[in-house]
Amino acid sequence: MTGRPDPAAVSPDHRGLDGATARRRYVTVSFLFWFPIGMSVATGVLLFTERGMGLAAVAAFYAVHSLTASAAELPTGGLSDVLGRRPVLAVAGLLNLGAFSLIGLGAAGWAIALGMGLMGLARALSSGPAEAWYVDTVQAHAGPDADLRTGLARGSSATSAALALGTLLGGGLPWVLGLAPDLGEWLADATGGLVIPLSVPALLGALVEIVFVLYVVSSLPEPPRPRTTVRQVVGGVPAAIAAGLRLGARDILIRRVLLTASAAGAALAAVELLTPGRAAALMGTAESGALVFAGLACAGFLCSALGSQLAPLVARFAGGSERAVPASLGLTVLGLALLGMTAHTMSALATTVAVAGYGLVYLGLGAAGPNENDLLHRRVDASGRATALSVQSLSMQLVAAGAGLGAGALPPGPLPWLLAATAVLAGALLWVRRVAPAKPLPYVAPVKPLLDAAPRTDVETPAKPLPYAVPAKPLLDAAPRTDVETPVNVPNPLC
């Protein structure tokens, strides 16, 4: 008895997509969404300063992005569970299309700020629907015990690869255009100064967003949902938010996933804030330091992609996802410690050790993510999956914002790095004791306003363990216990 349904009985709502096809489409969507964002990584600050903006204004633009993404994270997760994955993901692509157009062409501060706000809203909209669509489709075809980890790992690898390739292309294009000075001047003259070499990556990103939207609309089928009115949607989203906030309170495993995501946010904030300055100090100038950082960021994304690919192997060797999470996070702790120990010296040996530490940070986070999300998806059902992912993303972003401010206020040296390492170590220690497995609990709050369903009373924790979840799993997982509160259901890229 495999638990795998007869292919002939596959739900027509998913148009008979098998696991391999769903996995390929999920990987493609992940790549197309993050590739244009990668192109903006290397040129964003330089483009804004070239437009005449001061550093304070540039910092404000990025604050607009972060605050918008954080404020919209939970509402948009609930919106995906109410309206569907495909429409919300398509809207995210359209918002990014407008954002990259404004950033690439905007010469006024208000236009850039609006573009960054739209990008933050798109980030919030996109944080759960694609992954939720993939899990829904695979489980509809192969049952609740279907293998999720391989697809999640490949999707995470595609995200990292898109960021790496996008960073290289975005940093290289302006340099190539600068080899022919007349071409840059011609672009500026022909467009009245709207298009300059540094704005080309953003405009190319806008073109990629068109491809992304068309692919989402044509390639991500999902079951039809009840017809909704504006009033029903407005009523359903707050219910989804409330249910999402209750996830961590009801389930110890979900709490571990959320707290581990917060620890990862602290690590990423320290790395992204402190590494550019170290690169500039090493090279002697900001321009050459920016070039080195672009290459280093690309290498980090590739390490993350490698870690994601290795996530299933790590889980098999560790004995499950719950054990794979702390094992993977151990690499991140080691990497942060190496960066901290070499913070006061720029010798060749110290630089080599620091680069190795940088790679270990991303390798560990990349390996932990798919295992963590595999655990999460086995704790929540389809009606609340995107909301759970949004809560997870919100946990990471909020802690990253606070950790970045804290790291910036501390004196330069080992201390900021070691504090980040301590945060990740605390997240890893959460997984020392395992949690008793449980089947996903119904997650009906977001659906109730739409279906006018009677209150559910059958939400008791099932006793039957999931065959796949008994082992342990990292960036997020743990072993059967009887002395912990009853677990519930719950189901993590990067940049």
Side-chain angles (χ1 to χ4, degrees), residues 3 12 30 64 70 84 188 198 281 345 470 485 488 494:
S30 299
V64 169
S70 297
L198 285 171
T345 178
V470 173
E485 48 193 286
V488 201
L494 184 307

Side-chain angles (χ1 to χ4, degrees), residues 271-272 275 293 295-301 303 335-336 338-339 353-363 417:
V271 169
E272 293 173 1
T275 305
F293 176 67
L296 191 60
C298 175
F301 295 140
C303 286
L336 290 169
L338 293 177
L339 286 165
V353 171
V355 170
Y358 185 92
L360 286 175
V361 170
Y362 282 94
L363 183 67
W417 298 103

Side-chain angles (χ1 to χ4, degrees), residues 151-173:
L152 295 175
R154 292 185 182 179
S156 182
S157 296
T159 295
S160 299
L163 289 168
L165 182 60
T167 300
L168 284 181
L169 183 60
L173 273 177

Side-chain angles (χ1 to χ4, degrees), residues 325-388:
V325 172
S328 301
L329 292 182
L331 294 177
T332 300
V333 173
L334 176 60
L336 290 169
L338 293 177
L339 286 165
M341 290 174 2
T342 57
H344 278 319
T345 178
M346 296 182 196
S347 67
L349 177 60
T351 300
T352 302
V353 171
V355 170
Y358 185 92
L360 286 175
V361 170
Y362 282 94
L363 183 67
L365 293 177
N371 286 307
E372 173 186 60
N373 281 21
D374 176 71
L375 293 170
L376 183 65
H377 290 308
R378 296 181 187 282
R379 307 294 268 205
V380 295
D381 64 11
S383 62
R385 184 161 287 131
T387 299

Side-chain angles (χ1 to χ4, degrees), residues 133-478:
W133 174 87
Y134 167 71
V135 176
D136 292 345
T137 304
V138 171
Q139 291 188 341
H141 179 268
D145 296 330
D147 173 42
L148 302 176
R149 194 160 43 200
T150 300
L152 295 175
R154 292 185 182 179
S156 182
S157 296
T159 295
S160 299
L163 289 168
L165 182 60
T167 300
L168 284 181
L169 183 60
L173 273 177
W175 179 78
V176 171
L177 294 174
L179 295 178
D182 294 340
L183 179 58
E185 294 177 5
W186 176 81
L187 281 175
D189 292 340
T191 59
L194 292 179
V195 179
I196 60 177
L198 285 171
S199 65
V200 171
L203 297 178
L204 284 179
L207 295 178
V208 175
E209 292 297 341
I210 297 175
V211 178
F212 170 80
V213 172
L214 294 176
Y215 188 84
V216 166
V217 172
S218 62
S219 302
L220 302 188
E222 61 180 337
R225 294 174 184 264
R227 291 184 176 276
T228 62
T229 64
V230 174
R231 181 177 181 180
Q232 288 173 319
V233 171
V234 171
V237 170
I241 295 174
L245 293 175
R246 288 195 298 268
L247 288 175
R250 298 169 59 198
D251 188 289
I252 186 173
L253 183 62
I254 294 176
R255 278 202 302 277
R256 291 182 180 183
V257 170
L258 299 180
L259 290 172
T260 306
S262 299
L268 290 173
V271 169
E272 293 173 1
L273 179 70
L274 302 175
T275 305
R278 289 181 66 165
L282 177 67
M283 300 304 296
T285 65
E287 293 77 11
S288 57
L291 183 61
V292 169
F293 176 67
L296 191 60
C298 175
F301 295 140
L302 291 176
C303 286
S304 179
L306 176 61
S308 297
Q309 285 294 101
L310 294 175
L313 182 63
V314 173
R316 283 198 294 271
F317 276 107
S321 293
E322 285 189 57
R323 292 174 180 166
V325 172
S328 301
L329 292 182
L331 294 177
T332 300
V333 173
L334 176 60
L336 290 169
L338 293 177
L339 286 165
M341 290 174 2
T342 57
H344 278 319
T345 178
M346 296 182 196
S347 67
L349 177 60
T351 300
T352 302
V353 171
V355 170
Y358 185 92
L360 286 175
V361 170
Y362 282 94
L363 183 67
L365 293 177
N371 286 307
E372 173 186 60
N373 281 21
D374 176 71
L375 293 170
L376 183 65
H377 290 308
R378 296 181 187 282
R379 307 294 268 205
V380 295
D381 64 11
S383 62
R385 184 161 287 131
T387 299
L389 290 170
S390 290
V391 176
Q392 181 190 27
S393 178
L394 178 62
S395 299
M396 175 180 286
Q397 292 185 50
L398 287 178
V399 173
L405 291 174
L410 292 172
L415 184 58
W417 298 103
L418 296 181
L419 287 178
T422 301
V424 178
L425 177 60
L429 292 177
L430 293 173
W431 300 92
V432 171
R433 302 185 68 180
R434 300 185 64 196
V435 176
K439 296 172 70 174
L441 290 182
Y443 188 95
V444 300
V447 181
K448 183 179 177 182
L450 301 180
L451 303 181
D452 196 25
R456 293 283 301 275
T457 59
D458 56 338
V459 190
E460 296 300 324
T461 304
K464 181 181 177 181
L466 288 179
Y468 178 82
V470 173
K473 232 186 151 198
L475 216 168
L476 315 89
D477 202 301

